[in-house]
Amino acid sequence: MTALLVSLAPPALAADDDPADYPYAIAGNVRSAGEPVEGATITVTGEDFEGEATTAENGSWRVPVPSKDVTYTVELDEDSLPDAVAVPDDFEFTQEVTFGPSNTVTRNFTLGAAERTTVSFWDQFLSRAVNGLNFGLMLALAAIGLSLVYGTTGLSNFAHGEMVTFGALGALLFTTGFGLSIWLAIPLAVGVSALFGWGMDAGIWRPLRRKGLGTVQLMIVSIGLSLALRYTYQIFIGGGTEQLPGAVAASIPGLGPIRLTVTDVISMGLSIVVIGIFAWWLMRTRIGRATRAVSDNPSLASASGIDVDAVVRVVWIVAAALAGLSGILWAYFRPGIKWDMGTSILLLIFAAVTLGGLGTAFGALIGSLIVGLLVELSTLWIPSDLKYVGALVVLIVILLFRPQGILGRRERIG
């Protein structure tokens, strides 16, 4: 657990401390003519500290350092460069590094200009469409859970983004804190997320429902819960960005214009499998049919002998588990884990649910895929900083013509 705590002041470190435990780091890449340089030696010195790293296959390197209040010198060892690498006459092998607000500073060494290549519009379109599909599937995991909660309780849960963050933090705790493999950490984190959903319903939402609070009051409670959880996360992990194992991976060769890593492929495959299992559970199992009945008409479902409270409890558990898995995949897609990472996509989750149809799980899936594709493809025409805005604008336009969403039903008022 101590590996997740970030101190407000540089800690006192003994001479025999493991450098891997240092809270700060200097990282970067070494490239020559656009290609990564493997096996180059990087040395970092500052006051009484000296650290060394060797570039990996993708050219990346990282040196943990004990303090951020020191000016460090980063040096690329010229003798360690492969013979095929050409060094420009005016190339600087040393750089000075000072830390800012973040805990990691990046310094790159570029040994030559890469050849200018032109990528056609359709190649870019195909590449970003695949990335949009990956993003949409990850978004769907969170949106389906939010839609289930709304369908069975009428609650627009603004703390759902923190449930997404909780899953990523759970995986970080199991890998960094307990040293477990990521393949073991993922199911454990999803399981803990499910328990988190059960605890929130048992401790907060069920008592409030029994007191007869309306949906507006419950929504305000969810906003307060979101703020409380968000800043609690910040206390434990600080304001920096943490990485899960395997966050940096090379692209798979031979896919033409499409740039996908092994992590991306696993993420897409895992999302499809989980969504398929969820669809089978919702359509074929007894509790799944009861969930659809409660979502359609809670009063009629209760009159038919269905235990509505038990169904709602199961919905909270499933929604939290799906949100936790979404958070883990989102940490790889970003990449990185931050205390407010769930909040950054909360509006997109709401947009997907509203676009697909409030309270419909399959509508949330369709809405998520549309939003994911729009977010990624919109960068062909607008700056990437505005890509989320583009998706929300399209949402508004569609709802002007179909307020109930794609799979939603038009409700009669009055």
Side-chain angles (χ1 to χ4, degrees), residues 5 30 38 42 56 58 62 67 145 152 180 185 203 211 254 265-266 271 289-290 300 324 346 365 367 391-392:
L5 299 177
V30 178
E38 181 183 4
I42 303 291
N58 61 356
R62 179 183 176 89
S67 172
T152 54
L180 300 179
K211 290 183 179 295
V265 174
I266 294 174
S271 298
R289 290 192 291 268
L300 181 59
L346 181 62
L365 171 60
L392 297 177

Side-chain angles (χ1 to χ4, degrees), residues 118-125:
T118 302
V119 181
S120 70
F121 173 83
W122 292 111
D123 284 349
Q124 295 182 59
F125 183 90

Side-chain angles (χ1 to χ4, degrees), residues 38-321:
E38 181 183 4
T41 301
I42 303 291
T43 303
V44 177
T45 56
E47 290 190 351
D48 298 330
F49 172 81
E50 180 173 345
E52 186 178 286
T54 302
T55 56
E57 183 179 357
N58 61 356
S60 64
W61 58 273
R62 179 183 176 89
V63 177
V65 296
S67 172
K68 64 187 302 185
D69 297 329
V70 176
T71 299
Y72 293 94
T73 300
V74 181
E75 181 179 0
L76 171 62
D77 185 359
E78 183 177 4
D79 295 335
S80 68
L81 294 173
D83 295 337
V85 174
V87 180
D89 294 336
D90 58 347
F91 183 76
E92 295 290 339
F93 284 92
T94 60
Q95 299 185 38
E96 298 295 321
V97 173
T98 56
F99 278 81
S102 65
N103 294 340
T104 302
V105 176
T106 301
R107 287 294 182 270
N108 298 319
F109 291 93
T110 304
L111 294 155
E115 296 183 4
R116 184 179 179 86
T117 58
T118 302
V119 181
S120 70
F121 173 83
W122 292 111
D123 284 349
Q124 295 182 59
F125 183 90
L126 181 60
S127 177
R128 296 183 191 187
V130 174
N131 287 333
L133 180 62
N134 185 15
F135 180 51
L137 288 170
M138 179 275 301
L139 199 66
L141 294 173
I144 288 172
L146 181 64
S147 184
L148 277 178
V149 170
Y150 179 85
T152 54
T153 66
L155 170 65
S156 297
N157 181 22
F158 281 83
H160 200 74
E162 278 56 57
M163 295 168 69
V164 172
T165 308
F166 186 87
L169 292 179
L172 181 66
L173 174 64
F174 287 123
T175 54
T176 305
F178 298 145
L180 300 179
S181 164
I182 186 61
W183 298 110
L184 183 58
I186 289 176
L188 287 175
V190 172
V192 171
S193 296
L195 289 176
F196 182 52
W198 175 85
M200 284 201 301
D201 182 61
I204 300 176
W205 302 117
R206 186 180 182 186
L208 292 179
R209 287 196 307 271
R210 290 190 167 184
K211 290 183 179 295
L213 268 69
T215 55
V216 174
Q217 292 95 324
L218 292 175
M219 183 182 68
I220 294 173
V221 171
S222 76
I223 295 174
L225 180 61
S226 170
L227 292 172
L229 288 173
R230 197 183 315 163
Y231 289 104
T232 300
Y233 296 157
Q234 188 183 28
I235 291 174
F236 284 99
I237 68 169
T241 301
E242 304 290 339
Q243 301 291 344
L244 290 174
V248 179
S251 298
I252 299 175
L255 297 180
I258 300 175
R259 298 186 62 183
L260 285 176
T261 65
V262 174
T263 304
D264 293 330
V265 174
I266 294 174
S267 173
M268 295 174 69
L270 183 59
S271 298
I272 292 172
V273 169
V274 171
I275 291 173
I277 293 174
F278 168 80
W280 173 83
W281 173 82
L282 192 64
M283 300 298 294
R284 299 296 183 182
T285 65
R286 183 176 181 180
I287 187 64
R289 290 192 291 268
T291 300
R292 288 188 288 127
V294 172
S295 180
D296 186 63
N297 192 321
S299 299
L300 181 59
S302 178
S304 302
I306 295 175
D307 187 344
V308 175
D309 272 342
V311 170
V312 171
R313 179 68 54 82
V314 171
V315 164
W316 273 104
I317 293 173
V318 173

